[in-house]
Amino acid sequence: EAQVTQNPRYLITVTGKKLTVTCSQNMNHEYMSWYRQDPGLGLRQIYYSMNVEVTDKGDVPEGYKVSRKEKRNFPLILESPSPNQTSLYFCASSWGANTGELFFGEGSRLTVL
Amino acid sequence: AQSVTQLDSHVSVSEGTPVLLRCNYSSSYSPSLFWYVQHPNKGLQLLLKYTSAATLVKGINGFEAEFKKSETSFHLTKPSAHMSDAAEYFCVVSGGGADGLTFGKGTHLIIQP
C-alpha cells in the first residue's frame, strides 16, 4: 500500500530537549516536504526536498532542520524545541514540486511545554 | 506571486442539501488548482485537480469543481451532503513557477442531521 508514515504521532516534550520526527514514503517519490498546521493559519511549509541531498527552506524554517540522505526518508529535527513549535506537523511526498498531487502522512501532534 | 483565498472559514449545511465551498485565487501563470480534504485526526487527501484540461472537474465522493478564469475562482460543490463529508477542505494553487504550492486557510464543513 502506498503510504507516508510519520512517527511519533503524538509527543509531549519540554523546552530545549532535542527531538526528531521521522517520515518515510514507499512510492519512490523525489519530492518531500514538511508542513505545520495551526488554527486559523492553514498549512505552512517548513522545508522541502527536491531529491536526495537537496533541501531548501519553506515559509517557516526557523528552529527546524532536515536531512535527505535517502530517497524514502525525510526526518524533521527540532534541535531546541520551544513552546511556539507546538503544532500539528505533516510530511508529504510527490513526484514533483508543482504536481500538486501530494500524499500526506497522518500527522504528528507535538506539544512543547 | 500567487495566493488563494477561501471565502468561508466555516460552512454548515443539512444532510441531503447542496454543498458550496468557495475559493478564489491569483497567479502570474496559468495555474493548476486542487482541493484537498482532511478528516479529523487524518492527513490531507486529494479530492480533485484542475490542470488546464476540462474546466469542470469531477473528484472523489461526488464532489466537483469548476475553473472560471474570468472570475479567478475554483469553487467546490456537491449536490447532496452526507454526514461523512464533515471535514476540513483546502484549496491549493500551483503557478508552476518557483512559488510551489500555496494552501488556503481551510473551510470547515459541518453537516447537520
Side-chain angles (χ1 to χ4, degrees):
Chain A
E1 181 189 351
Q3 58 185 3
V4 177
T5 304
Q6 297 178 225
N7 280 296
R9 294 287 314 280
Y10 302 91
L11 179 63
I12 301 174
T13 190
V14 294
T15 299
K17 186 176 181 181
K18 180 180 178 179
L19 68 91
T20 299
V21 186
T22 63
C23 174
S24 180
Q25 52 94 2
N26 63 0
M27 294 165 279
N28 204 35
H29 285 163
E30 293 187 345
Y31 179 84
M32 297 186 74
S33 181
W34 276 103
Y35 297 88
R36 59 178 290 173
Q37 183 179 23
D38 301 289
L41 297 178
L43 269 76
R44 295 179 292 169
Q45 190 178 48
I46 303 171
Y47 269 94
Y48 63 94
S49 170
M50 303 289 278
N51 213 327
V52 176
E53 301 292 1
V54 180
T55 63
D56 212 342
K57 296 178 181 178
D59 300 317
V60 288
E62 294 77 19
Y64 304 95
K65 284 175 57 177
V66 293
S67 68
R68 187 93 181 272
K69 294 183 170 56
E70 309 163 279
K71 201 170 191 178
R72 63 183 293 124
N73 296 324
F74 190 45
L76 179 69
I77 303 157
L78 286 72
E79 292 271 3
S80 182
S82 62
N84 65 11
Q85 292 178 299
T86 292
S87 187
L88 179 58
Y89 291 88
F90 287 101
C91 180
S93 72
S94 176
W95 294 113
N98 292 318
T99 66
E101 297 187 57
L102 292 166
F103 289 78
F104 282 83
E106 295 207 320
S108 297
R109 185 168 292 282
L110 171 64
T111 302
V112 183
L113 302 175
Chain B
Q2 63 192 22
S3 66
V4 60
T5 302
Q6 292 184 241
L7 297 165
D8 306 290
S9 60
H10 292 78
V11 169
S12 180
V13 302
S14 298
E15 189 174 20
T17 65
V19 174
L20 170 63
L21 305 183
R22 299 182 295 165
C23 172
N24 287 350
Y25 71 91
S26 70
S27 175
S28 302
Y29 305 91
S30 295
S32 296
L33 292 153
F34 311 84
W35 277 99
Y36 280 81
V37 61
Q38 182 184 25
H39 288 98
N41 299 313
K42 295 290 185 183
L44 282 72
Q45 179 187 16
L46 182 66
L47 259 185
L48 51 80
K49 63 178 180 178
Y50 165 77
T51 55
S52 76
T55 56
L56 182 62
V57 182
K58 294 189 185 300
I60 61 173
N61 299 333
F63 284 94
E64 61 183 36
E66 186 171 9
F67 173 72
K68 291 187 176 180
K69 186 175 181 178
S70 61
E71 298 176 11
T72 60
S73 69
F74 190 58
H75 301 335
L76 182 70
T77 60
K78 183 174 181 177
S80 177
H82 191 271
M83 294 300 292
S84 60
D85 295 328
E88 192 86 12
Y89 291 80
F90 293 92
C91 183
V92 181
V93 63
S94 172
D99 290 336
L101 300 178
T102 299
F103 284 77
K105 288 184 169 40
T107 298
H108 186 59
L109 178 61
I110 300 161
I111 311 295
Q112 307 279 4

